[in-house]
Amino acid sequence: MSSPEEPPVHLEASLEQPSNSTHEQTEPLLSKNKLKKLIRDRKWEEGREKRRELRKIKAKERKERKRAARHSDAPLEPTAEKRKASVEAEVHPAAKPKHLTSVQLPVSFVIDCAFDDLMRDGERTSLASQVTRSYSDNHKAPFRSHLFISSFGGNLKHRFDTVLSAHHHNWKEVKFSESDFESAASQAAEVMKTDWGGQLSGAFRKYRTNNEAGFTSTSGEVVYLTSDSPETLTELKPYSTYIIGGIVDKNRHKGICYKRAVDRGVKTAKLPIGDYMKMTSRFVLATNHVVEIMLRWLEVGDWGRAFIEVIPQRKGGILRDGITILEKPSGTKTQDTEVDDGASGHNQGEEDACLEKDADEVSLKSPPREGLESKEEPQP
């Protein structure tokens, strides 16, 4: 026997004090479940400063213990995790990691965030996480692109400025702009023409060795990536800008990125996922997955390898018959975020849970760049 539906509860009357009949008629009514969620979220927000202060205290205590140990020449007592890691290191000694060399390439990625009013709060949380991961992946990639975040404003910007503690102001090699993606693409084109615009390396090495068809800094193109496009992207080209739709909408607004590009007269294309992979789910990826796939292609020049290493295993993707990759992949390297979109469609997926409630406890500052030397080029 099914239980009766929960009666609607007045928000103001439950959270603050009883209200009169006039307010009950004009104010929105909420169910008990929705009301509980609002109360829980309010308590979480009220405790944010307390949690932050507690983290500072713990960090200060750790520094003091380390300082005291240095002065007394007494070794720090190892934690259980460190003891376990030490034992494993003795049994399976790892090779000394090499310093990563990061090379700037003359190519640009633009995440178009002009869909703020079409997303719900949880979807904006997911997009904020995807933008953060896109930056991190690009920042640490052996071959990195110029990264632009266009139409950056509204509730998404508010989340970065408040919940995420404005750490994006410390990010390097990324440009946030309130202007639209066309303006960002124009800025990218100018940047790529400069002396620091990047070098033809990685998958672009062939343009340096034989200068294919006289390819120059004015030969680039602007492409809006969307799974609704009838065109398929075969390769990334130097001095080009690739637009990725920054929207998480759980498939409510089908074709919105394609229509946005067509209305502006911008070329569209989709990633060649179907040409290389058999999928048990939709050809829809999170924004950060699209960025990571293209970064991987810039490194190895092989779509098959990029797809198999980046696309989450839960999507059930396997290489099509007859498709080979340059080298055997070392395994799925991406974190398993929730389904959203990327360039093979606009973002349509579940909420990304990584930075949802604990985002304020995750450091989003720019990763350390020790050992990175952009002047040198890694060996192929």
Side-chain angles (χ1 to χ4, degrees):
M1 179 177 179
S2 61
S3 60
E5 295 184 358
E6 295 179 344
V9 178
H10 190 269
L11 175 59
E12 298 297 332
S14 300
L15 291 181
E16 298 179 357
Q17 61 183 4
S19 58
N20 56 34
S21 58
T22 304
H23 285 176
E24 291 179 354
Q25 295 175 359
T26 58
E27 294 291 332
L29 301 179
L30 300 174
S31 67
K32 287 184 178 179
N33 287 338
K34 181 65 174 178
L35 184 60
K36 289 178 182 178
K37 183 179 184 302
L38 290 176
I39 295 174
R40 186 169 61 250
D41 291 344
R42 174 178 293 184
K43 289 181 179 179
W44 177 268
E45 293 297 328
E46 290 174 351
R48 187 178 302 280
E49 289 300 324
K50 183 177 180 180
R51 294 192 301 275
R52 185 174 299 170
E53 290 300 322
L54 183 60
R55 290 196 300 274
K56 290 181 179 179
I57 292 174
K58 289 183 178 179
K60 184 177 180 181
E61 290 175 350
R62 286 195 298 270
K63 291 181 179 179
E64 290 177 352
R65 288 198 299 269
K66 291 180 180 180
R67 188 181 300 111
R70 286 196 300 269
H71 292 326
S72 63
D73 295 329
L76 290 174
E77 182 180 354
T79 62
E81 291 80 4
K82 289 184 178 180
R83 287 194 295 269
K84 181 179 179 181
S86 177
V87 172
E88 292 180 351
E90 292 178 0
V91 178
H92 304 289
K96 185 177 179 180
K98 297 180 180 180
H99 287 298
L100 175 66
T101 303
S102 181
V103 178
Q104 176 69 66
L105 300 187
V107 64
S108 300
F109 300 158
V110 176
I111 300 179
D112 180 15
C113 300
F115 311 96
D116 189 75
D117 58 334
L118 301 179
M119 293 184 289
R120 298 163 181 162
D121 289 340
E123 293 166 346
R124 295 189 191 96
T125 298
S126 180
L127 179 61
S129 173
Q130 293 177 30
V131 171
T132 299
R133 289 180 176 175
S134 297
Y135 161 74
S136 179
D137 289 338
N138 185 65
H139 187 80
K140 296 182 293 185
F143 299 92
R144 66 182 185 272
S145 72
H146 298 281
L147 183 63
F148 293 79
I149 314 298
S150 66
S151 299
F152 184 67
N155 291 308
L156 179 64
K157 182 177 184 298
H158 178 72
R159 177 173 178 79
F160 271 92
D161 289 337
T162 56
V163 177
L164 302 185
S165 304
H167 283 311
H168 63 289
H169 293 306
N170 297 324
W171 292 2
K172 300 177 182 178
E173 297 152 357
V174 59
K175 171 69 174 177
F176 288 86
S177 173
E178 296 182 0
S179 303
D180 63 10
F181 71 90
E182 289 183 301
S183 176
S186 297
Q187 295 179 46
E190 294 302 318
V191 169
M192 289 185 288
K193 293 178 183 178
T194 63
D195 293 338
W196 59 88
Q199 55 183 290
L200 297 174
S201 185
F204 290 163
R205 182 183 295 273
K206 62 181 181 181
Y207 294 95
R208 182 179 63 183
T209 55
N210 57 21
N211 194 22
E212 283 195 357
F215 206 93
T216 65
S217 60
T218 60
S219 305
E221 57 185 359
V222 177
V223 182
Y224 205 120
L225 300 172
T226 165
S227 62
D228 298 297
S229 175
E231 304 296 328
T232 300
L233 190 69
T234 57
E235 64 175 352
L236 303 182
K237 297 180 179 180
Y239 308 106
S240 295
T241 300
Y242 298 92
I243 318 296
I244 306 168
I247 175 174
V248 181
D249 67 346
K250 299 183 181 179
N251 209 27
R252 292 193 308 274
H253 305 285
K254 295 182 179 180
I256 188 171
C257 290
Y258 177 70
K259 183 178 184 301
R260 177 171 169 79
V262 171
D263 290 345
R264 301 291 189 91
V266 176
K267 180 180 178 180
T268 65
K270 58 187 175 184
L271 292 180
I273 300 177
D275 295 342
Y276 289 83
M277 303 283 290
K278 291 181 180 179
M279 305 284 288
T280 58
S281 60
R282 297 175 300 164
F283 291 173
V284 179
L285 301 174
T287 300
N288 58 292
H289 288 156
V290 176
V291 171
E292 189 177 3
I293 285 171
M294 294 195 293
L295 289 172
R296 197 75 181 112
W297 187 92
L298 290 174
E299 181 180 353
V300 301
D302 182 356
W303 287 117
R305 181 175 174 185
F307 291 144
I308 204 67
E309 291 189 357
V310 175
I311 293 178
Q313 292 180 348
R314 58 179 167 72
K315 294 183 73 68
I318 60 174
L319 288 174
R320 288 189 175 276
D321 296 339
I323 298 295
T324 58
I325 56 179
L326 297 180
E327 296 180 19
K328 183 178 179 180
S330 58
T332 302
K333 64 179 285 190
T334 185
Q335 297 186 26
D336 196 14
T337 60
E338 298 294 330
V339 181
D340 285 38
D341 148 51
S344 55
H346 58 97
N347 290 349
Q348 329 164 0
E350 303 293 332
E351 295 179 15
D352 190 332
C354 178
L355 299 178
E356 182 173 350
K357 286 256 182 177
D358 295 325
D360 60 320
E361 300 183 12
V362 178
S363 174
L364 301 181
K365 293 184 179 180
S366 172
R369 294 301 297 265
E370 286 109 356
L372 296 185
E373 301 172 324
S374 59
K375 293 183 179 180
E376 296 185 6
E377 182 179 321
Q379 296 298 323

